[in-house]
Amino acid sequence: MTSRFLPAAALVAASVLALAGCAGGATGEQTGDGKLQVVASTNVYGDIAAAIAGDLVEVQSIITSVAQDPHSYEASARDQLTVSRASLIIENGGGYDAFMDAMIEGTGTEAPVITAVEFSHDWPGNAGHGAADHDDATDDATPESDATDDHDHDGHDHIEGFNEHVWYDPHTIAHVAEDIAHELGELDAANAATYQANYETFAAGIDGIETSLDELKTRVGGQKVFVTEPVPLYLTAAAGLENATPAAFSQAVEEGQDVPPATLLEAVRILTSGEVRVLIVNAQTGGAETDEVVARAKGAGIPVLEFTELVPDGDTYLTWMQANVAALADTLSR
């Protein structure tokens, strides 16, 4: 998972020593005011951690801007220094944010690491804590292929057939949040009850999102959507929506490769068939094939929604996901 970044990580690690004066602790440090430090790969997990920790912990996210692509992000020496000082690390995993694995290895940190994909029902081996009780709605969120092979995706390894965008699965995120509360309670026993209470508040918000998805499923379940990338598929599957996208199309777009001409023709046929109710695009990426299907969708009168991979400014994870569900509901109810 770290093959692309290891040589760079070694160089960055040397820079970290210069920045830190060789003082970075391998097991994490507290801030000057005694707070634990949580480091998250993206602001998705940073926001979730902040919801659990409140003002008791300092939370820092490596990627916070929609202009940054976690798939291809290359960490700086300062990022590596931040990780070296972490008390708790949260990553997505599954090859999505491989730069975190390189930094974890490069620093030799002994801080606990929470890897979100391991809590997914669809993770190979079903290794996630509590994930086994997930219903089968996520089956449509995972591309149909052998889930045991790795392949390179724009320079990083990910699990073939596994949709790593698990933050769009509220059920998985509930388990991630629960583990964040548990780990913070282990690190800071005096405030364990506060972390647990904050988790329960967050979990109630997740319940609200899942209720909205259940209501949407009752109203529009079975309708077809087309996605340029598999980013939102956990959410659409939970809403009972059918993914009509050719797997080869979304896979090529996600990997930054050219869509095969026959696949593009098939995508156009599907979009002009009159069966697709909404097209969902990744607002953080684009390309000729994406532009083509957007133009075709608009020409066919199909609404186009943009979903992001990061929490937008002014939102929290909970308000962001509820807004995505509301956008789907509003569009599909027309």
Side-chain angles (χ1 to χ4, degrees), residues 148-184:
T148 62
D149 296 329
D150 292 350
H151 78 267
D152 189 68
H153 168 175
D154 195 22
H156 73 272
D157 294 330
H158 78 135
I159 305 300
E160 181 72 29
F162 174 72
N163 182 1
E164 68 264 32
H165 307 95
V166 296
W167 64 91
Y168 267 99
D169 179 6
H171 192 91
T172 293
I173 289 302
H175 291 303
V176 173
E178 183 177 26
D179 203 48
I180 292 172
H182 170 76
E183 291 293 348
L184 289 176

PDB file of all heavy atoms in Angstrom, residues 148-184:
ATOM      1  N   THR A 148     -10.225  -9.794  -3.668  1.00  0.00           N
ATOM      2  CA  THR A 148      -9.016 -10.252  -3.001  1.00  0.00           C
ATOM      3  C   THR A 148      -7.751  -9.719  -3.650  1.00  0.00           C
ATOM      4  O   THR A 148      -6.662  -9.909  -3.121  1.00  0.00           O
ATOM      5  CB  THR A 148      -8.946 -11.785  -3.011  1.00  0.00           C
ATOM      6  OG1 THR A 148      -8.890 -12.244  -4.365  1.00  0.00           O
ATOM      7  CG2 THR A 148     -10.146 -12.380  -2.314  1.00  0.00           C
ATOM      8  N   ASP A 149      -7.863  -9.047  -4.797  1.00  0.00           N
ATOM      9  CA  ASP A 149      -6.678  -8.587  -5.513  1.00  0.00           C
ATOM     10  C   ASP A 149      -6.494  -7.089  -5.325  1.00  0.00           C
ATOM     11  O   ASP A 149      -7.448  -6.327  -5.285  1.00  0.00           O
ATOM     12  CB  ASP A 149      -6.804  -8.885  -7.015  1.00  0.00           C
ATOM     13  CG  ASP A 149      -6.870 -10.379  -7.296  1.00  0.00           C
ATOM     14  OD1 ASP A 149      -6.265 -11.130  -6.524  1.00  0.00           O
ATOM     15  OD2 ASP A 149      -7.539 -10.762  -8.279  1.00  0.00           O
ATOM     16  N   ASP A 150      -5.208  -6.681  -5.271  1.00  0.00           N
ATOM     17  CA  ASP A 150      -4.879  -5.265  -5.235  1.00  0.00           C
ATOM     18  C   ASP A 150      -4.549  -4.800  -6.643  1.00  0.00           C
ATOM     19  O   ASP A 150      -4.049  -5.544  -7.462  1.00  0.00           O
ATOM     20  CB  ASP A 150      -3.653  -5.007  -4.351  1.00  0.00           C
ATOM     21  CG  ASP A 150      -3.945  -5.278  -2.889  1.00  0.00           C
ATOM     22  OD1 ASP A 150      -5.123  -5.482  -2.562  1.00  0.00           O
ATOM     23  OD2 ASP A 150      -2.996  -5.297  -2.099  1.00  0.00           O
ATOM     24  N   HIS A 151      -4.828  -3.518  -6.937  1.00  0.00           N
ATOM     25  CA  HIS A 151      -4.266  -2.935  -8.147  1.00  0.00           C
ATOM     26  C   HIS A 151      -3.952  -1.482  -7.885  1.00  0.00           C
ATOM     27  O   HIS A 151      -4.426  -0.889  -6.941  1.00  0.00           O
ATOM     28  CB  HIS A 151      -5.184  -3.134  -9.358  1.00  0.00           C
ATOM     29  CG  HIS A 151      -6.336  -2.210  -9.428  1.00  0.00           C
ATOM     30  ND1 HIS A 151      -7.566  -2.512  -8.919  1.00  0.00           N
ATOM     31  CD2 HIS A 151      -6.452  -0.967  -9.968  1.00  0.00           C
ATOM     32  CE1 HIS A 151      -8.405  -1.520  -9.147  1.00  0.00           C
ATOM     33  NE2 HIS A 151      -7.756  -0.572  -9.770  1.00  0.00           N
ATOM     34  N   ASP A 152      -3.105  -0.947  -8.763  1.00  0.00           N
ATOM     35  CA  ASP A 152      -2.618   0.410  -8.557  1.00  0.00           C
ATOM     36  C   ASP A 152      -3.624   1.421  -9.079  1.00  0.00           C
ATOM     37  O   ASP A 152      -4.106   1.310 -10.193  1.00  0.00           O
ATOM     38  CB  ASP A 152      -1.281   0.585  -9.289  1.00  0.00           C
ATOM     39  CG  ASP A 152      -0.621   1.892  -8.937  1.00  0.00           C
ATOM     40  OD1 ASP A 152      -0.204   2.025  -7.789  1.00  0.00           O
ATOM     41  OD2 ASP A 152      -0.541   2.768  -9.815  1.00  0.00           O
ATOM     42  N   HIS A 153      -3.948   2.388  -8.257  1.00  0.00           N
ATOM     43  CA  HIS A 153      -4.938   3.415  -8.590  1.00  0.00           C
ATOM     44  C   HIS A 153      -4.246   4.756  -8.464  1.00  0.00           C
ATOM     45  O   HIS A 153      -4.047   5.261  -7.373  1.00  0.00           O
ATOM     46  CB  HIS A 153      -6.107   3.297  -7.609  1.00  0.00           C
ATOM     47  CG  HIS A 153      -7.069   4.439  -7.641  1.00  0.00           C
ATOM     48  ND1 HIS A 153      -8.214   4.448  -6.910  1.00  0.00           N
ATOM     49  CD2 HIS A 153      -7.083   5.620  -8.308  1.00  0.00           C
ATOM     50  CE1 HIS A 153      -8.873   5.574  -7.097  1.00  0.00           C
ATOM     51  NE2 HIS A 153      -8.200   6.294  -7.944  1.00  0.00           N
ATOM     52  N   ASP A 154      -3.849   5.297  -9.649  1.00  0.00           N
ATOM     53  CA  ASP A 154      -3.173   6.579  -9.674  1.00  0.00           C
ATOM     54  C   ASP A 154      -2.000   6.600  -8.707  1.00  0.00           C
ATOM     55  O   ASP A 154      -1.780   7.571  -7.991  1.00  0.00           O
ATOM     56  CB  ASP A 154      -4.164   7.702  -9.342  1.00  0.00           C
ATOM     57  CG  ASP A 154      -3.622   9.077  -9.707  1.00  0.00           C
ATOM     58  OD1 ASP A 154      -2.714   9.142 -10.557  1.00  0.00           O
ATOM     59  OD2 ASP A 154      -4.103  10.074  -9.137  1.00  0.00           O
ATOM     60  N   GLY A 155      -1.277   5.498  -8.620  1.00  0.00           N
ATOM     61  CA  GLY A 155      -0.079   5.474  -7.802  1.00  0.00           C
ATOM     62  C   GLY A 155      -0.261   4.901  -6.423  1.00  0.00           C
ATOM     63  O   GLY A 155       0.662   4.920  -5.627  1.00  0.00           O
ATOM     64  N   HIS A 156      -1.442   4.418  -6.079  1.00  0.00           N
ATOM     65  CA  HIS A 156      -1.584   3.783  -4.774  1.00  0.00           C
ATOM     66  C   HIS A 156      -2.358   2.480  -4.926  1.00  0.00           C
ATOM     67  O   HIS A 156      -3.150   2.315  -5.834  1.00  0.00           O
ATOM     68  CB  HIS A 156      -2.273   4.714  -3.766  1.00  0.00           C
ATOM     69  CG  HIS A 156      -3.740   4.892  -3.999  1.00  0.00           C
ATOM     70  ND1 HIS A 156      -4.251   5.848  -4.831  1.00  0.00           N
ATOM     71  CD2 HIS A 156      -4.812   4.224  -3.506  1.00  0.00           C
ATOM     72  CE1 HIS A 156      -5.572   5.766  -4.835  1.00  0.00           C
ATOM     73  NE2 HIS A 156      -5.941   4.797  -4.048  1.00  0.00           N
ATOM     74  N   ASP A 157      -2.115   1.568  -4.003  1.00  0.00           N
ATOM     75  CA  ASP A 157      -2.786   0.281  -4.053  1.00  0.00           C
ATOM     76  C   ASP A 157      -4.151   0.363  -3.378  1.00  0.00           C
ATOM     77  O   ASP A 157      -4.305   1.022  -2.358  1.00  0.00           O
ATOM     78  CB  ASP A 157      -1.955  -0.785  -3.339  1.00  0.00           C
ATOM     79  CG  ASP A 157      -0.646  -1.060  -4.062  1.00  0.00           C
ATOM     80  OD1 ASP A 157      -0.628  -0.903  -5.292  1.00  0.00           O
ATOM     81  OD2 ASP A 157       0.328  -1.426  -3.396  1.00  0.00           O
ATOM     82  N   HIS A 158      -5.142  -0.310  -3.947  1.00  0.00           N
ATOM     83  CA  HIS A 158      -6.401  -0.465  -3.239  1.00  0.00           C
ATOM     84  C   HIS A 158      -6.953  -1.846  -3.547  1.00  0.00           C
ATOM     85  O   HIS A 158      -6.459  -2.553  -4.412  1.00  0.00           O
ATOM     86  CB  HIS A 158      -7.385   0.663  -3.591  1.00  0.00           C
ATOM     87  CG  HIS A 158      -8.071   0.507  -4.906  1.00  0.00           C
ATOM     88  ND1 HIS A 158      -9.412   0.707  -5.070  1.00  0.00           N
ATOM     89  CD2 HIS A 158      -7.602   0.181  -6.137  1.00  0.00           C
ATOM     90  CE1 HIS A 158      -9.761   0.514  -6.334  1.00  0.00           C
ATOM     91  NE2 HIS A 158      -8.677   0.192  -7.003  1.00  0.00           N
ATOM     92  N   ILE A 159      -7.965  -2.232  -2.795  1.00  0.00           N
ATOM     93  CA  ILE A 159      -8.503  -3.577  -2.901  1.00  0.00           C
ATOM     94  C   ILE A 159      -9.469  -3.650  -4.071  1.00  0.00           C
ATOM     95  O   ILE A 159     -10.490  -2.951  -4.103  1.00  0.00           O
ATOM     96  CB  ILE A 159      -9.219  -3.978  -1.591  1.00  0.00           C
ATOM     97  CG1 ILE A 159      -8.268  -3.808  -0.396  1.00  0.00           C
ATOM     98  CG2 ILE A 159      -9.723  -5.411  -1.679  1.00  0.00           C
ATOM     99  CD1 ILE A 159      -7.016  -4.644  -0.480  1.00  0.00           C
ATOM    100  N   GLU A 160      -9.147  -4.488  -5.032  1.00  0.00           N
ATOM    101  CA  GLU A 160     -10.009  -4.648  -6.199  1.00  0.00           C
ATOM    102  C   GLU A 160     -11.404  -5.106  -5.769  1.00  0.00           C
ATOM    103  O   GLU A 160     -11.554  -6.053  -4.997  1.00  0.00           O
ATOM    104  CB  GLU A 160      -9.399  -5.685  -7.153  1.00  0.00           C
ATOM    105  CG  GLU A 160     -10.206  -5.904  -8.416  1.00  0.00           C
ATOM    106  CD  GLU A 160     -10.110  -4.727  -9.376  1.00  0.00           C
ATOM    107  OE1 GLU A 160      -9.075  -4.040  -9.366  1.00  0.00           O
ATOM    108  OE2 GLU A 160     -11.094  -4.505 -10.105  1.00  0.00           O
ATOM    109  N   GLY A 161     -12.422  -4.403  -6.237  1.00  0.00           N
ATOM    110  CA  GLY A 161     -13.791  -4.780  -5.916  1.00  0.00           C
ATOM    111  C   GLY A 161     -14.321  -4.189  -4.632  1.00  0.00           C
ATOM    112  O   GLY A 161     -15.487  -4.391  -4.306  1.00  0.00           O
ATOM    113  N   PHE A 162     -13.480  -3.445  -3.899  1.00  0.00           N
ATOM    114  CA  PHE A 162     -13.943  -2.838  -2.646  1.00  0.00           C
ATOM    115  C   PHE A 162     -14.045  -1.331  -2.823  1.00  0.00           C
ATOM    116  O   PHE A 162     -13.101  -0.679  -3.269  1.00  0.00           O
ATOM    117  CB  PHE A 162     -12.979  -3.166  -1.510  1.00  0.00           C
ATOM    118  CG  PHE A 162     -13.315  -2.467  -0.212  1.00  0.00           C
ATOM    119  CD1 PHE A 162     -14.413  -2.868   0.533  1.00  0.00           C
ATOM    120  CD2 PHE A 162     -12.548  -1.405   0.242  1.00  0.00           C
ATOM    121  CE1 PHE A 162     -14.745  -2.226   1.720  1.00  0.00           C
ATOM    122  CE2 PHE A 162     -12.864  -0.757   1.432  1.00  0.00           C
ATOM    123  CZ  PHE A 162     -13.964  -1.170   2.167  1.00  0.00           C
ATOM    124  N   ASN A 163     -15.185  -0.772  -2.469  1.00  0.00           N
ATOM    125  CA  ASN A 163     -15.396   0.669  -2.542  1.00  0.00           C
ATOM    126  C   ASN A 163     -14.871   1.296  -1.253  1.00  0.00           C
ATOM    127  O   ASN A 163     -15.493   1.170  -0.199  1.00  0.00           O
ATOM    128  CB  ASN A 163     -16.886   0.971  -2.729  1.00  0.00           C
ATOM    129  CG  ASN A 163     -17.178   2.456  -2.853  1.00  0.00           C
ATOM    130  OD1 ASN A 163     -16.275   3.285  -2.815  1.00  0.00           O
ATOM    131  ND2 ASN A 163     -18.447   2.785  -2.984  1.00  0.00           N
ATOM    132  N   GLU A 164     -13.744   1.990  -1.358  1.00  0.00           N
ATOM    133  CA  GLU A 164     -13.095   2.514  -0.149  1.00  0.00           C
ATOM    134  C   GLU A 164     -13.723   3.787   0.399  1.00  0.00           C
ATOM    135  O   GLU A 164     -13.321   4.273   1.461  1.00  0.00           O
ATOM    136  CB  GLU A 164     -11.598   2.761  -0.426  1.00  0.00           C
ATOM    137  CG  GLU A 164     -11.298   3.886  -1.407  1.00  0.00           C
ATOM    138  CD  GLU A 164     -11.079   3.395  -2.820  1.00  0.00           C
ATOM    139  OE1 GLU A 164     -11.699   2.394  -3.219  1.00  0.00           O
ATOM    140  OE2 GLU A 164     -10.284   4.022  -3.552  1.00  0.00           O
ATOM    141  N   HIS A 165     -14.723   4.332  -0.267  1.00  0.00           N
ATOM    142  CA  HIS A 165     -15.316   5.601   0.163  1.00  0.00           C
ATOM    143  C   HIS A 165     -16.345   5.379   1.287  1.00  0.00           C
ATOM    144  O   HIS A 165     -17.517   5.762   1.180  1.00  0.00           O
ATOM    145  CB  HIS A 165     -15.949   6.305  -1.031  1.00  0.00           C
ATOM    146  CG  HIS A 165     -15.018   6.463  -2.188  1.00  0.00           C
ATOM    147  ND1 HIS A 165     -14.971   5.557  -3.234  1.00  0.00           N
ATOM    148  CD2 HIS A 165     -14.061   7.388  -2.458  1.00  0.00           C
ATOM    149  CE1 HIS A 165     -14.041   5.939  -4.107  1.00  0.00           C
ATOM    150  NE2 HIS A 165     -13.472   7.045  -3.659  1.00  0.00           N
ATOM    151  N   VAL A 166     -15.886   4.798   2.379  1.00  0.00           N
ATOM    152  CA  VAL A 166     -16.798   4.311   3.420  1.00  0.00           C
ATOM    153  C   VAL A 166     -17.432   5.421   4.251  1.00  0.00           C
ATOM    154  O   VAL A 166     -18.395   5.159   4.980  1.00  0.00           O
ATOM    155  CB  VAL A 166     -16.089   3.307   4.350  1.00  0.00           C
ATOM    156  CG1 VAL A 166     -15.677   2.058   3.584  1.00  0.00           C
ATOM    157  CG2 VAL A 166     -14.876   3.942   5.040  1.00  0.00           C
ATOM    158  N   TRP A 167     -16.920   6.636   4.149  1.00  0.00           N
ATOM    159  CA  TRP A 167     -17.552   7.720   4.918  1.00  0.00           C
ATOM    160  C   TRP A 167     -18.936   8.050   4.377  1.00  0.00           C
ATOM    161  O   TRP A 167     -19.711   8.729   5.043  1.00  0.00           O
ATOM    162  CB  TRP A 167     -16.654   8.956   4.925  1.00  0.00           C
ATOM    163  CG  TRP A 167     -16.430   9.581   3.597  1.00  0.00           C
ATOM    164  CD1 TRP A 167     -17.160  10.572   3.020  1.00  0.00           C
ATOM    165  CD2 TRP A 167     -15.403   9.236   2.654  1.00  0.00           C
ATOM    166  NE1 TRP A 167     -16.666  10.872   1.765  1.00  0.00           N
ATOM    167  CE2 TRP A 167     -15.574  10.068   1.530  1.00  0.00           C
ATOM    168  CE3 TRP A 167     -14.357   8.320   2.659  1.00  0.00           C
ATOM    169  CZ2 TRP A 167     -14.739  10.007   0.411  1.00  0.00           C
ATOM    170  CZ3 TRP A 167     -13.524   8.259   1.549  1.00  0.00           C
ATOM    171  CH2 TRP A 167     -13.714   9.087   0.448  1.00  0.00           C
ATOM    172  N   TYR A 168     -19.268   7.562   3.189  1.00  0.00           N
ATOM    173  CA  TYR A 168     -20.622   7.722   2.674  1.00  0.00           C
ATOM    174  C   TYR A 168     -21.554   6.617   3.174  1.00  0.00           C
ATOM    175  O   TYR A 168     -22.707   6.539   2.749  1.00  0.00           O
ATOM    176  CB  TYR A 168     -20.620   7.768   1.143  1.00  0.00           C
ATOM    177  CG  TYR A 168     -20.535   9.189   0.616  1.00  0.00           C
ATOM    178  CD1 TYR A 168     -19.329   9.732   0.199  1.00  0.00           C
ATOM    179  CD2 TYR A 168     -21.670   9.996   0.563  1.00  0.00           C
ATOM    180  CE1 TYR A 168     -19.250  11.044  -0.262  1.00  0.00           C
ATOM    181  CE2 TYR A 168     -21.610  11.296   0.109  1.00  0.00           C
ATOM    182  CZ  TYR A 168     -20.392  11.814  -0.303  1.00  0.00           C
ATOM    183  OH  TYR A 168     -20.331  13.116  -0.755  1.00  0.00           O
ATOM    184  N   ASP A 169     -21.071   5.794   4.073  1.00  0.00           N
ATOM    185  CA  ASP A 169     -21.895   4.765   4.723  1.00  0.00           C
ATOM    186  C   ASP A 169     -22.056   5.158   6.190  1.00  0.00           C
ATOM    187  O   ASP A 169     -21.179   4.889   7.011  1.00  0.00           O
ATOM    188  CB  ASP A 169     -21.207   3.404   4.607  1.00  0.00           C
ATOM    189  CG  ASP A 169     -21.995   2.288   5.291  1.00  0.00           C
ATOM    190  OD1 ASP A 169     -23.128   2.549   5.748  1.00  0.00           O
ATOM    191  OD2 ASP A 169     -21.475   1.165   5.371  1.00  0.00           O
ATOM    192  N   PRO A 170     -23.157   5.806   6.550  1.00  0.00           N
ATOM    193  CA  PRO A 170     -23.329   6.260   7.934  1.00  0.00           C
ATOM    194  C   PRO A 170     -23.203   5.144   8.957  1.00  0.00           C
ATOM    195  O   PRO A 170     -22.725   5.375  10.078  1.00  0.00           O
ATOM    196  CB  PRO A 170     -24.744   6.869   7.935  1.00  0.00           C
ATOM    197  CG  PRO A 170     -24.968   7.273   6.511  1.00  0.00           C
ATOM    198  CD  PRO A 170     -24.283   6.219   5.696  1.00  0.00           C
ATOM    199  N   HIS A 171     -23.626   3.942   8.602  1.00  0.00           N
ATOM    200  CA  HIS A 171     -23.558   2.824   9.544  1.00  0.00           C
ATOM    201  C   HIS A 171     -22.109   2.516   9.907  1.00  0.00           C
ATOM    202  O   HIS A 171     -21.766   2.319  11.076  1.00  0.00           O
ATOM    203  CB  HIS A 171     -24.224   1.592   8.933  1.00  0.00           C
ATOM    204  CG  HIS A 171     -24.453   0.480   9.901  1.00  0.00           C
ATOM    205  ND1 HIS A 171     -25.618   0.349  10.623  1.00  0.00           N
ATOM    206  CD2 HIS A 171     -23.664  -0.557  10.277  1.00  0.00           C
ATOM    207  CE1 HIS A 171     -25.535  -0.720  11.397  1.00  0.00           C
ATOM    208  NE2 HIS A 171     -24.363  -1.289  11.198  1.00  0.00           N
ATOM    209  N   THR A 172     -21.238   2.493   8.914  1.00  0.00           N
ATOM    210  CA  THR A 172     -19.816   2.279   9.170  1.00  0.00           C
ATOM    211  C   THR A 172     -19.253   3.402  10.022  1.00  0.00           C
ATOM    212  O   THR A 172     -18.478   3.165  10.968  1.00  0.00           O
ATOM    213  CB  THR A 172     -19.041   2.187   7.841  1.00  0.00           C
ATOM    214  OG1 THR A 172     -19.441   1.001   7.150  1.00  0.00           O
ATOM    215  CG2 THR A 172     -17.537   2.144   8.071  1.00  0.00           C
ATOM    216  N   ILE A 173     -19.629   4.627   9.716  1.00  0.00           N
ATOM    217  CA  ILE A 173     -19.108   5.780  10.441  1.00  0.00           C
ATOM    218  C   ILE A 173     -19.532   5.751  11.910  1.00  0.00           C
ATOM    219  O   ILE A 173     -18.784   6.195  12.791  1.00  0.00           O
ATOM    220  CB  ILE A 173     -19.556   7.087   9.771  1.00  0.00           C
ATOM    221  CG1 ILE A 173     -18.819   7.250   8.443  1.00  0.00           C
ATOM    222  CG2 ILE A 173     -19.306   8.286  10.675  1.00  0.00           C
ATOM    223  CD1 ILE A 173     -17.304   7.252   8.546  1.00  0.00           C
ATOM    224  N   ALA A 174     -20.707   5.223  12.200  1.00  0.00           N
ATOM    225  CA  ALA A 174     -21.125   5.094  13.599  1.00  0.00           C
ATOM    226  C   ALA A 174     -20.130   4.232  14.371  1.00  0.00           C
ATOM    227  O   ALA A 174     -19.777   4.525  15.518  1.00  0.00           O
ATOM    228  CB  ALA A 174     -22.532   4.508  13.678  1.00  0.00           C
ATOM    229  N   HIS A 175     -19.665   3.130  13.741  1.00  0.00           N
ATOM    230  CA  HIS A 175     -18.692   2.257  14.394  1.00  0.00           C
ATOM    231  C   HIS A 175     -17.330   2.938  14.525  1.00  0.00           C
ATOM    232  O   HIS A 175     -16.630   2.766  15.524  1.00  0.00           O
ATOM    233  CB  HIS A 175     -18.557   0.953  13.617  1.00  0.00           C
ATOM    234  CG  HIS A 175     -19.771   0.083  13.688  1.00  0.00           C
ATOM    235  ND1 HIS A 175     -20.296  -0.358  14.883  1.00  0.00           N
ATOM    236  CD2 HIS A 175     -20.571  -0.414  12.707  1.00  0.00           C
ATOM    237  CE1 HIS A 175     -21.361  -1.113  14.642  1.00  0.00           C
ATOM    238  NE2 HIS A 175     -21.554  -1.152  13.332  1.00  0.00           N
ATOM    239  N   VAL A 176     -16.952   3.719  13.514  1.00  0.00           N
ATOM    240  CA  VAL A 176     -15.694   4.462  13.592  1.00  0.00           C
ATOM    241  C   VAL A 176     -15.749   5.445  14.761  1.00  0.00           C
ATOM    242  O   VAL A 176     -14.802   5.542  15.553  1.00  0.00           O
ATOM    243  CB  VAL A 176     -15.422   5.213  12.268  1.00  0.00           C
ATOM    244  CG1 VAL A 176     -14.209   6.128  12.414  1.00  0.00           C
ATOM    245  CG2 VAL A 176     -15.208   4.226  11.126  1.00  0.00           C
ATOM    246  N   ALA A 177     -16.844   6.171  14.859  1.00  0.00           N
ATOM    247  CA  ALA A 177     -16.996   7.145  15.946  1.00  0.00           C
ATOM    248  C   ALA A 177     -16.955   6.466  17.304  1.00  0.00           C
ATOM    249  O   ALA A 177     -16.367   6.986  18.256  1.00  0.00           O
ATOM    250  CB  ALA A 177     -18.310   7.915  15.772  1.00  0.00           C
ATOM    251  N   GLU A 178     -17.579   5.304  17.402  1.00  0.00           N
ATOM    252  CA  GLU A 178     -17.564   4.561  18.658  1.00  0.00           C
ATOM    253  C   GLU A 178     -16.142   4.186  19.054  1.00  0.00           C
ATOM    254  O   GLU A 178     -15.762   4.284  20.227  1.00  0.00           O
ATOM    255  CB  GLU A 178     -18.420   3.304  18.513  1.00  0.00           C
ATOM    256  CG  GLU A 178     -18.547   2.487  19.793  1.00  0.00           C
ATOM    257  CD  GLU A 178     -19.457   1.285  19.614  1.00  0.00           C
ATOM    258  OE1 GLU A 178     -19.587   0.806  18.459  1.00  0.00           O
ATOM    259  OE2 GLU A 178     -20.028   0.820  20.602  1.00  0.00           O
ATOM    260  N   ASP A 179     -15.330   3.795  18.067  1.00  0.00           N
ATOM    261  CA  ASP A 179     -13.954   3.421  18.372  1.00  0.00           C
ATOM    262  C   ASP A 179     -13.106   4.638  18.718  1.00  0.00           C
ATOM    263  O   ASP A 179     -12.191   4.554  19.546  1.00  0.00           O
ATOM    264  CB  ASP A 179     -13.333   2.670  17.194  1.00  0.00           C
ATOM    265  CG  ASP A 179     -12.166   1.796  17.633  1.00  0.00           C
ATOM    266  OD1 ASP A 179     -12.317   1.055  18.626  1.00  0.00           O
ATOM    267  OD2 ASP A 179     -11.092   1.859  16.999  1.00  0.00           O
ATOM    268  N   ILE A 180     -13.401   5.785  18.100  1.00  0.00           N
ATOM    269  CA  ILE A 180     -12.707   7.013  18.481  1.00  0.00           C
ATOM    270  C   ILE A 180     -12.963   7.323  19.951  1.00  0.00           C
ATOM    271  O   ILE A 180     -12.036   7.645  20.712  1.00  0.00           O
ATOM    272  CB  ILE A 180     -13.158   8.196  17.596  1.00  0.00           C
ATOM    273  CG1 ILE A 180     -12.686   7.993  16.150  1.00  0.00           C
ATOM    274  CG2 ILE A 180     -12.623   9.519  18.137  1.00  0.00           C
ATOM    275  CD1 ILE A 180     -13.256   9.006  15.168  1.00  0.00           C
ATOM    276  N   ALA A 181     -14.225   7.222  20.368  1.00  0.00           N
ATOM    277  CA  ALA A 181     -14.554   7.467  21.775  1.00  0.00           C
ATOM    278  C   ALA A 181     -13.835   6.481  22.681  1.00  0.00           C
ATOM    279  O   ALA A 181     -13.321   6.864  23.751  1.00  0.00           O
ATOM    280  CB  ALA A 181     -16.065   7.371  21.979  1.00  0.00           C
ATOM    281  N   HIS A 182     -13.781   5.232  22.269  1.00  0.00           N
ATOM    282  CA  HIS A 182     -13.102   4.210  23.071  1.00  0.00           C
ATOM    283  C   HIS A 182     -11.615   4.522  23.198  1.00  0.00           C
ATOM    284  O   HIS A 182     -11.060   4.493  24.310  1.00  0.00           O
ATOM    285  CB  HIS A 182     -13.295   2.842  22.432  1.00  0.00           C
ATOM    286  CG  HIS A 182     -12.432   1.771  23.040  1.00  0.00           C
ATOM    287  ND1 HIS A 182     -12.707   1.201  24.265  1.00  0.00           N
ATOM    288  CD2 HIS A 182     -11.271   1.193  22.593  1.00  0.00           C
ATOM    289  CE1 HIS A 182     -11.761   0.311  24.553  1.00  0.00           C
ATOM    290  NE2 HIS A 182     -10.883   0.290  23.564  1.00  0.00           N
ATOM    291  N   GLU A 183     -10.952   4.824  22.090  1.00  0.00           N
ATOM    292  CA  GLU A 183      -9.512   5.084  22.124  1.00  0.00           C
ATOM    293  C   GLU A 183      -9.190   6.341  22.939  1.00  0.00           C
ATOM    294  O   GLU A 183      -8.216   6.366  23.700  1.00  0.00           O
ATOM    295  CB  GLU A 183      -8.958   5.224  20.701  1.00  0.00           C
ATOM    296  CG  GLU A 183      -8.966   3.937  19.898  1.00  0.00           C
ATOM    297  CD  GLU A 183      -7.994   2.886  20.435  1.00  0.00           C
ATOM    298  OE1 GLU A 183      -7.150   3.224  21.286  1.00  0.00           O
ATOM    299  OE2 GLU A 183      -8.092   1.726  20.001  1.00  0.00           O
ATOM    300  N   LEU A 184     -10.003   7.384  22.775  1.00  0.00           N
ATOM    301  CA  LEU A 184      -9.771   8.595  23.569  1.00  0.00           C
ATOM    302  C   LEU A 184      -9.966   8.314  25.057  1.00  0.00           C
ATOM    303  O   LEU A 184      -9.227   8.836  25.903  1.00  0.00           O
ATOM    304  CB  LEU A 184     -10.705   9.715  23.118  1.00  0.00           C
ATOM    305  CG  LEU A 184     -10.403  10.333  21.753  1.00  0.00           C
ATOM    306  CD1 LEU A 184     -11.478  11.360  21.394  1.00  0.00           C
ATOM    307  CD2 LEU A 184      -9.021  10.979  21.728  1.00  0.00           C
TER     308      LEU A 184
END
